[in-house]
Amino acid sequence: MCGIFGVYGHKDAAALTQLGLYALQHRGQESAGIVAVDDSGTARVSRAMGLVSEGFDDEEMTDLIGPISIGHTRYSTAGSSVIENAQPILARVRGGHIALAHNGNLTNAVELRRDLENQGAIFSSTMDSEVIVHRIARAQGATPEARVANALVGVEGAYCLLVVLDETVIAARDPHGWRPLVMGRLGDGYVFASESCALDIVGAAIEREIQPGEVVAVDRHGFRASQGLRPAPLNRCVFEHVYFARPDSHIFGGSVDRSRRALGRRLAVECPAPGADLVFAVPDSSNSAALGYAEQSGVPYELALIRNHYVGRTFIQPTQSGRDAKVKVKYNPVRELLEGKKVVMVDDSIVRGTTTRGLVSLVRAAGAKEVHMRVSSAPIISSCYYGIDTPRREELIAARMSHDELVRHLGVDSLGYLSIDGMLSAMPDGPGGYCHACFSGRYPTAIPSEPELLRAGG
Ligand code: SF4
């Protein structure tokens, strides 16, 4: 759960990166950072805890000069919420530098780190991403991109990377393609971003996605692309389309808004609510799915729940106490719409159930006669090890309770989840090539042997 952004060949590279990070703020709100490299090859870094808007004052931005820049917004779990774990990482090596921004989680980081420590490597953070920096520092290669590709041999799990090796920008995506990474052009320059919405904000033309296993490089010798990593089965994260990415982005070959509407339409077919007076979303990530549900069912769509935009996302707040307190601060129902009505409440997912339970009680207190909960994804029953910070299995409510228990616990009149097949059929290019492990429990790769040591990724 991180956002990465990078620029090559624009005089205001760091300022563009800051703008790009604004557009990727939803991917991580805990820290933000920018590295810039000037014309003489000097790299500078600025990192701060908190939001992009809080992280960089004018003085810091003035220092971040040069035509090359990469940036990162980060979310992490409790315990690793420290500035040492903010990215990009900047390391000085062999008279040059390596800067790295990583989105994803490595599944064998613990083993790789132990090997490196046994060889004398010293780590300054608890991030799995630092392992990659050490490997790049040690790797050989005829070109900068070959060096990065060689460093990635044996690295398992999910990664989209932006690396600056001296004055070369390199973008790489793991062979399974878990996380999105897109590339655009801005004048003579190149722009890279986790999602296309970040290219829009800087006015870059979207060129294409970085392909799974691809390593691309751009420097004064020009742009080079190669299938640098050994091909592997596609495991793109279905949850990016369900919840995580912005609806104005195109990822994995299609529009997130379109896939969410398709999820909502399919949900209306699989889980109708006969006689409902209105359908509304748990804003904002469920808006498109609720619209799809309304389109398909013919039930009127209403804005019956209002979100306060000045409070962060419930799901990605690091502590449970913060999460509880924020439900009421974050949402308020529109009584005039709900009073005496049989309503369909659409959400994209239920994780711990705390927010849903709080919302149902808010909606009932506002006078709703019946509350029918509809979820535009399947029940989440397993943890993610590939870069989305779902909690441990014991905390996942659908893993702990039967359907009837969930109905009682959430306080709803009925509860309907989309099937896994229904969810996959709504993806832009059909159901193949997606990871659905958190919904099915079927992990496409070996899972980490010591997952508790792994929860500090980018
Ligand atoms: Fe995405 Fe779930 Fe797979 Fe994680 S386990 S990559 S959240 S689909």
Side-chain angles (χ1 to χ4, degrees):
M1 291 167 69
C2 294
I4 59 175
F5 188 89
V7 176
Y8 178 88
H10 193 286
K11 65 181 177 45
D12 299 319
L16 293 175
T17 299
Q18 186 186 23
L19 273 178
L21 295 182
Y22 273 115
L24 299 174
Q25 188 74 82
H26 62 291
R27 296 185 73 87
Q29 303 169 334
E30 197 164 284
S31 65
I34 297 175
V35 163
V37 180
D38 70 17
D39 289 315
S40 69
T42 301
R44 298 175 179 84
V45 62
S46 177
R47 286 184 294 249
M49 301 305 289
L51 301 175
V52 178
S53 57
E54 298 161 351
F56 312 100
D57 59 27
D58 290 348
E59 200 177 319
E60 276 166 324
M61 288 309 295
T62 314
D63 281 349
L64 294 172
I65 51 173
I68 294 172
S69 177
I70 61 171
H72 190 269
T73 58
R74 176 164 202 269
Y75 170 75
S76 77
T77 53
S80 55
S81 175
V82 291
I83 192 69
E84 288 75 20
N85 285 346
Q87 293 194 25
I89 299 169
L90 177 62
R92 318 274 177 190
V93 281
R94 294 189 217 157
H97 56 255
I98 302 169
L100 177 130
H102 170 208
N103 173 211
N105 258 131
L106 309 182
T107 49
N108 64 340
V110 173
E111 292 81 1
L112 295 177
R113 183 173 172 133
R114 260 185 213 136
D115 285 351
L116 285 159
E117 284 174 337
N118 288 339
Q119 293 167 43
I122 295 168
F123 283 79
S124 60
S125 76
T126 58
M127 285 182 289
D128 57 354
S129 318
E130 200 177 348
V131 165
I132 303 175
V133 174
H134 279 277
R135 290 175 70 91
I136 294 171
R138 287 153 192 248
Q140 303 294 325
T143 59
E145 61 270 29
R147 201 170 137 199
V148 169
N150 288 337
L152 292 172
V153 173
V155 173
E156 290 165 14
Y159 55 83
C160 280
L161 302 176
L162 291 175
V163 180
V164 186
L165 257 187
D166 299 331
E167 287 161 82
T168 304
V169 173
I170 297 144
R173 190 167 165 215
D174 72 70
H176 297 281
W178 255 291
R179 303 277 147 234
L181 186 60
V182 64
M183 175 183 126
R185 297 297 307 268
L186 184 61
D188 294 331
Y190 292 80
V191 185
F192 303 92
S194 294
E195 293 182 35
S196 63
C197 65
L199 298 188
D200 295 338
I201 198 173
V202 300
I206 299 170
E207 187 116 318
R208 65 178 179 84
E209 295 186 32
I210 303 300
Q211 296 305 310
E214 191 179 27
V215 181
V216 308
V218 55
D219 56 21
R220 66 177 190 280
H221 304 296
F223 176 84
R224 304 176 294 280
S226 62
Q227 184 68 32
L229 304 166
R230 208 162 48 137
L234 265 188
N235 289 316
R236 296 164 297 174
C237 171
V238 70
F239 206 47
E240 291 271 357
H241 268 288
V242 166
Y243 162 79
F244 200 41
R246 266 176 44 165
D248 51 336
S249 285
H250 277 67
I251 59 164
F252 304 153
S255 146
V256 176
D257 173 73
R258 288 233 173 123
S259 56
R260 285 198 189 148
R261 282 178 190 248
L263 288 163
R265 284 197 297 274
R266 180 80 191 214
L267 180 63
V269 172
E270 289 189 15
C271 309
D277 296 307
L278 63 96
V279 53
F280 67 93
V282 176
D284 292 320
S285 54
S286 312
N287 291 349
S288 307
L291 276 166
Y293 193 99
E295 278 162 24
Q296 180 69 38
S297 63
V299 178
Y301 176 82
E302 294 287 0
L303 300 172
L305 199 57
I306 303 304
R307 180 180 158 191
N308 180 343
H309 285 93
Y310 302 95
V311 186
R313 277 187 163 197
T314 307
F315 177 39
I316 61 175
Q317 294 304 320
T319 65
Q320 182 72 43
S321 57
R323 193 164 24 242
D324 285 345
K326 279 181 175 152
V327 174
K328 276 192 177 166
V329 177
K330 203 168 150 186
Y331 298 102
N332 202 32
V334 182
R335 178 172 286 277
E336 290 68 24
L337 291 171
L338 295 166
E339 243 164 8
K341 297 285 173 40
K342 176 176 177 176
V343 302
V344 179
M345 179 164 116
V346 175
D347 206 347
D348 48 65
S349 51
I350 300 178
V351 182
R352 294 177 177 86
T354 324
T355 306
T356 310
R357 201 176 175 197
L359 286 173
V360 172
S361 103
L362 280 184
V363 167
R364 283 205 188 278
K369 190 174 66 184
E370 290 180 31
V371 182
H372 298 270
M373 182 80 210
R374 297 292 179 265
V375 186
S376 61
S377 64
I380 300 177
I381 54 162
S382 299
S383 299
C384 174
Y385 300 107
Y386 310 115
I388 298 281
D389 186 46
T390 48
R392 291 191 308 271
R393 188 178 153 79
E394 310 85 83
E395 295 174 56
L396 295 168
I397 195 146
R400 292 197 286 118
M401 292 188 188
S402 69
H403 186 88
D404 289 349
E405 285 170 337
L406 270 173
V407 167
R408 280 197 296 279
H409 178 79
L410 298 174
V412 292
D413 292 279
S414 74
L415 170 66
Y417 282 97
L418 190 54
S419 65
I420 292 175
D421 284 349
M423 198 171 67
L424 295 174
S425 71
M427 293 302 104
D429 53 355
Y434 281 90
C435 173
H436 45 77
C438 53
F439 302 104
S440 62
R442 293 197 297 275
Y443 291 96
T445 65
I447 60 171
S449 52
E450 295 166 277
E452 68 286 356
L453 298 179
L454 257 187
R455 302 183 69 79

